[in-house]
Amino acid sequence: GLGTAAPLSASPTSDFGDPDGGPSSPADLDVDGGFAAARAGDFITARQLAVQAVALDSTHANARHLLSRVCFQQQDFECALAEARQAVALREDVGEIREAHAMALLANGQEEAALEELRVALRQDSALGYAWLTRARLAGLENIGEIIERDALPRGWPSELARRYLTEYLKYDVGQP
């Protein structure tokens, strides 16, 4: 399975607007609103705001990145790839933008290109790797019952022992906390 893209936590280059951290243009306001809508699960509004931001400023990397991520969430993988390419062309130095490009490449069946793009993203931003591992660990913890039932019980592990092993003893934290 393809899985899902990383959660939309914030605009990856939001610090490039107003030096005081606030938005400096109408496109910035739309992008900020779009990321907020996406975090709330309202991908229709997020997409509308991203499209509006791109219409206001076609060179706005965050607007392109947001639109790519929202298209990916809506499984419009062609749109996701087109917008991710534009975002990378505008800000090739931002690991999170490259990560979204890698996911869009993968969704479009371009596995080798996706792996190479992800390698570049991880070289640019080592925190992305830690974030991927953390998301995987949290997803595993959310599905701990399913994992125990599927993998531990058929092997004769008592349920409570398997739960303790998986949640208390088995640790794979790598890198910065």
Side-chain angles (χ1 to χ4, degrees):
L2 190 56
T4 59
L8 291 165
S9 57
S11 174
T13 57
S14 58
D15 57 326
F16 297 114
D18 182 343
D20 297 324
S24 61
S25 73
D28 289 335
L29 291 171
D30 287 339
V31 169
D32 289 347
F35 273 103
R39 284 191 306 274
D42 183 356
F43 297 112
I44 292 171
T45 299
R47 189 169 184 159
Q48 290 170 342
L49 289 168
V51 167
Q52 188 171 304
V54 168
L56 289 168
D57 182 356
S58 64
T59 64
H60 198 296
N62 279 347
R64 298 281 185 179
H65 174 69
L66 171 62
L67 187 52
S68 172
R69 296 287 298 274
V70 171
C71 288
F72 187 93
Q73 290 292 332
Q74 294 179 322
Q75 298 186 8
D76 183 352
F77 300 129
E78 288 181 28
C79 168
L81 182 56
E83 293 303 325
R85 281 187 178 135
Q86 290 288 334
V88 168
L90 293 166
R91 288 303 311 266
E92 65 182 24
D93 61 317
V94 179
E96 189 176 336
I97 288 176
R98 286 194 174 271
E99 176 193 29
H101 186 220
M103 294 300 296
L105 286 164
L106 183 61
N108 281 279
Q110 299 178 39
E111 291 180 19
E112 291 300 317
L115 288 173
E116 181 53 35
E117 188 70 345
L118 190 55
R119 284 185 197 105
V120 172
L122 291 172
R123 278 195 303 270
Q124 288 179 330
D125 186 353
S126 61
L128 287 175
Y130 181 77
W132 276 47
L133 290 173
T134 299
R135 284 192 297 272
R137 183 176 59 81
L138 292 174
L141 290 174
E142 288 176 6
N143 299 311
I144 198 78
E146 178 185 323
I147 292 168
I148 290 169
E149 189 173 313
R150 183 190 66 224
D151 298 316
L153 295 180
R155 290 174 174 80
W157 281 63
S159 179
E160 190 52 37
L161 178 61
R163 181 176 305 283
R164 286 187 65 209
Y165 178 75
L166 291 170
T167 60
E168 295 175 29
Y169 300 115
L170 190 61
K171 304 288 183 193
Y172 287 101
D173 287 344
V174 178
Q176 307 161 341

